[in-house]
Amino acid sequence: MDAPANKISVQGLKAWFGKNEVIHGASLDIPDRSVLAIIGPSGCGKSTFLRCLNRMHELTPGAGSSGKMLLDDRDLYAASVDPVELRRRVGMVFQRPNPFPTMSIARNVSAGLRLNRVPGDHAEVVERCLRQAALWDEVKDRLDAPATGLSGGQQQRLCIARALAVEPEVLLMDEPASALDPIATAKVEDLIHELKQRYTIVIVTHNMQQAARVSDRTAFFYLGELVESGPTEKIFTNPSEQRTEDYVTGKFG
Amino acid sequence: MSPSHTDKTYERELKDLRERLLAMGGRVEAQLASAVKAVVERDPELASRVKKSDSDVNRLEVEIDDACRRLLALRQPAASDLRFIATALKIVVDLERMGDLAVNVAERAIDLCQAPSLGPVHDLESLAGMAQMQLKHALDAFVEGDVEKAREVMETDGFLDALYLKIFNDMLTRMMEDSRAIRRATSLMFAAKHLERFGDHCTNVAEMVVYMVRGTDVRHPRSRQLKST
Ligand SMILES: Nc1ncnc2c1ncn2[C@@H]1O[C@H](COP(=O)(O)OP(=O)(O)O)[C@@H](O)[C@H]1O
Ligand SMILES: [Mg+2]
């Protein structure tokens, strides 16, 4: 009860690359243990928004942001916040599965722990995360095999397991299924439903049906502007903004 | 007006669905007009033709149903497109029932022709005229996405109910005055009842139009209140 209802709160976020402002003041709340989907055409700022949430955006030379970003009601940009620790709490899964090619399946999962110098052989963590990522049954007999031998869908779930190993609270996913076949996609989507019991998830997707299937809330970005955000059911049955309506019905001008 | 769909085939499929619904509405409107004409002019031939034309309406219903299912499966429609197709799926059921009611009126016409006339049936004609008008306005509201017009249809329904009640009472009086009129008066009473029901289906269509345009369901406000308390 005393946990804040909103895991993340964004107020008036602006973001830029050099002189080019690419997000023009976005405000939005993300309830704890929910899935937010971000939709919008290419270049509208979805990935940038995501990367602001774990302060990866500022790692690009010349890039910056302003506005308020709260995680558990605490300012992400406060001087006391260690960005590295923040990125542990707010994990990220990318579009292309990117397992470490020279490492085994097990070592891929525990890579984050070893980077953070957590001692031990991590066998328990590896099993727990692979189970959570719905991959355990498929790989339990070949944990020492190279990760590159897995299929694309398995590699993506491996990357999700790797992100889970450092016990994050928020998972950011940037088009996590766009390189996957329909079966692998369904597995990742099913996994998202599972994961939201424990984590707050923000997923960027080009696939509007996917947004409709996996998310509780949807945000629509257009040309760097957050046009509308709200319950997914509302966005897809009766959006408030004409531009959202045109986008979800496939009227792209 | 919002821009059209980037996928022109999809745009055409939606337009086609709209046109088919209108064509079906037009058929039903004509069926009702003929059925009532058959009663007024005591024309059993015309009444039989109405009965035969019912298969056209039924065929249109099946075609429209198929088109909606295809669109849902292949296009994953959203927002106003989704509401339009959901509306089409419901309206088609009402239109088909209205066609059946027109046939029922035609059957009464055939029955009434078996015996001498009970005299002019002005009220029944008025009721039929109102029912036709309701259908026309409901369909216009649907095509134009006109919530005001849809609301007018809903409000007008009370007049049809009142006129039906008047016919009902008049026919009861006729029966009490003359027991030989019972069969014919009953037939006219039924015909009036069918017309009144026809009007109710127009109200259904109008309610769906409000949903389609606004995205809010205006049906059964009382059951909604119960649910929320
Ligand atoms: N590293 C970068 N340097 C300069 N501009 C960038 C960089 N990454 C993205 N942009 C620009 O920022 C805008 C938003 O990009 P992005 O957030 O990647 O959009 P989306 O994920 O919605 O496709 C685009 O105009 C893009 O060109
Ligand atoms: Mg992107």
Side-chain angles (χ1 to χ4, degrees):
Chain A
M1 274 279 103
D2 44 355
N6 287 324
K7 186 70 186 174
I8 293 172
S9 180
V10 178
Q11 293 153 22
L13 173 72
K14 293 184 177 180
W16 54 83
F17 292 97
K19 289 197 168 64
N20 184 23
E21 185 178 281
V22 299
I23 295 178
H24 314 303
S27 298
L28 132 98
D29 290 332
I30 309 174
D32 193 20
R33 290 162 211 242
S34 69
V35 180
L36 171 75
I38 300 179
I39 59 171
S42 285
C44 69
K46 303 181 298 292
S47 296
T48 304
F49 181 85
L50 212 59
R51 293 160 64 89
C52 285
L53 291 175
N54 70 349
R55 293 184 56 174
M56 270 175 69
H57 176 63
E58 68 200 52
L59 298 179
T60 306
S65 67
S66 68
K68 228 176 177 150
M69 313 267 283
L70 306 177
L71 177 67
D72 287 334
D73 287 339
R74 297 199 22 220
D75 191 346
L76 284 187
Y77 287 83
S80 58
V81 172
D82 170 8
V84 176
E85 166 64 9
L86 173 70
R87 282 172 213 132
R88 185 198 62 74
R89 291 178 66 195
V90 183
M92 186 129 178
V93 176
F94 299 88
Q95 173 175 9
R96 297 250 156 222
N98 55 348
F100 300 117
T102 55
M103 289 186 199
S104 70
I105 292 169
R107 285 180 77 79
N108 255 283
V109 177
S110 58
L113 293 175
R114 281 179 287 111
L115 277 174
N116 283 301
R117 306 199 188 287
V118 180
D121 76 341
H122 311 302
E124 274 177 35
V125 176
V126 167
E127 178 172 346
R128 171 178 65 77
C129 295
L130 286 171
R131 282 188 189 281
Q132 274 185 37
L135 189 58
W136 175 252
D137 288 338
E138 292 162 54
V139 301
K140 61 174 186 251
D141 300 325
R142 47 173 167 152
L143 291 173
D144 295 324
T148 42
L150 298 175
S151 71
Q154 288 171 328
Q155 288 187 17
Q156 191 60 302
R157 278 177 286 144
L158 179 65
C159 293
I160 293 171
R162 186 176 66 193
L164 297 177
V166 295
E167 301 188 15
E169 298 156 39
V170 178
L171 265 186
L172 309 176
M173 299 183 164
D174 197 346
E175 303 179 36
S178 62
L180 304 185
D181 75 18
I183 297 171
T185 299
K187 285 187 180 171
V188 169
E189 290 180 5
D190 183 43
L191 178 58
I192 290 173
H193 287 298
E194 287 291 319
L195 294 176
K196 93 169 178 190
Q197 313 296 326
R198 295 154 164 268
Y199 308 95
T200 302
I201 297 171
V202 185
I203 174 175
V204 167
T205 174
H206 272 297
N207 180 329
M208 282 188 270
Q209 279 75 45
Q210 178 169 68
R213 286 192 298 263
V214 303
S215 70
D216 302 299
R217 300 177 67 81
T218 296
F220 169 53
F221 277 79
Y222 191 75
L223 297 176
E225 187 189 335
L226 172 58
V227 175
E228 182 172 357
S229 71
T232 296
E233 184 182 329
K234 177 158 193 315
I235 298 290
F236 286 97
T237 63
N238 192 17
S240 301
E241 296 288 326
Q242 185 63 43
R243 278 175 297 169
T244 315
E245 163 82 30
D246 290 344
Y247 189 71
V248 300
T249 55
K251 296 168 185 160
F252 304 124
Chain B
M1 246 350 248
S2 55
S4 56
H5 294 84
T6 304
D7 185 332
K8 296 286 167 268
T9 313
Y10 182 33
E11 179 82 12
R12 204 170 337 106
E13 287 166 357
L14 289 169
K15 185 159 169 278
D16 187 56
L17 174 59
R18 193 181 309 273
E19 278 164 7
R20 275 196 217 203
L21 272 164
L22 284 181
M24 184 174 174
R27 286 289 174 89
V28 171
E29 218 179 305
Q31 268 190 313
L32 183 71
S34 300
V36 174
K37 193 160 182 250
V39 174
V40 175
E41 297 182 358
R42 301 175 57 73
D43 184 345
E45 303 281 302
L46 182 57
S48 306
R49 257 178 280 143
V50 172
K51 285 180 71 172
K52 285 208 194 75
S53 70
D54 194 43
S55 56
D56 290 347
V57 172
N58 292 345
R59 183 178 44 77
L60 275 168
E61 184 195 15
V62 172
E63 282 177 16
I64 291 169
D65 249 15
D66 279 348
C68 290
R69 267 196 299 273
R70 210 163 42 238
L71 281 162
L72 286 173
L74 304 183
R75 299 292 186 180
Q76 291 102 39
S80 60
D81 295 337
L82 176 67
R83 302 202 303 275
F84 165 63
I85 293 166
T87 301
L89 273 169
K90 300 207 119 190
I91 283 184
V92 79
V93 176
D94 283 298
L95 287 175
E96 193 274 334
R97 283 295 299 145
M98 285 190 244
D100 288 348
L101 289 165
V103 167
N104 294 150
V105 172
E107 285 165 353
R108 293 298 106 211
I110 291 168
D111 192 63
L112 283 161
C113 291
Q114 313 281 319
S117 168
L118 272 184
V121 286
H122 296 310
D123 284 342
L124 194 78
E125 271 187 280
S126 306
L127 182 55
M130 287 163 87
Q132 260 173 273
M133 205 48 119
Q134 288 283 82
L135 174 56
K136 187 182 174 316
H137 285 163
L139 289 174
D140 285 350
F142 170 69
V143 179
E144 293 154 18
D146 187 337
V147 170
E148 277 314 302
K149 198 167 265 176
R151 290 206 186 277
E152 270 172 42
V153 170
M154 290 183 243
E155 279 157 23
T156 305
D157 190 55
F159 293 98
L160 278 79
D161 294 346
L163 190 51
Y164 162 65
L165 209 63
K166 175 171 186 298
I167 295 172
F168 182 90
N169 285 323
D170 288 351
M171 291 305 119
L172 269 188
T173 313
R174 289 298 284 275
M175 293 185 217
M176 287 189 278
E177 285 167 1
D178 178 3
S179 64
R180 287 168 303 175
I182 286 180
R183 182 177 178 116
R184 285 165 287 167
T186 307
S187 264
L188 288 170
M189 219 185 228
F190 271 121
K193 182 70 195 164
H194 298 320
L195 294 172
E196 185 269 325
R197 290 292 299 148
F198 191 100
D200 289 343
H201 288 286
C202 297
T203 306
N204 289 351
V205 171
E207 288 169 345
M208 288 309 296
V209 170
V210 177
Y211 163 73
M212 179 181 83
V213 177
R214 291 251 200 275
T216 50
D217 196 329
V218 293
R219 297 170 304 166
H220 317 305
R222 293 196 50 217
S223 66
R224 222 148 266 279
Q225 269 165 19
L226 286 178
K227 225 174 94 184
S228 65
T229 50

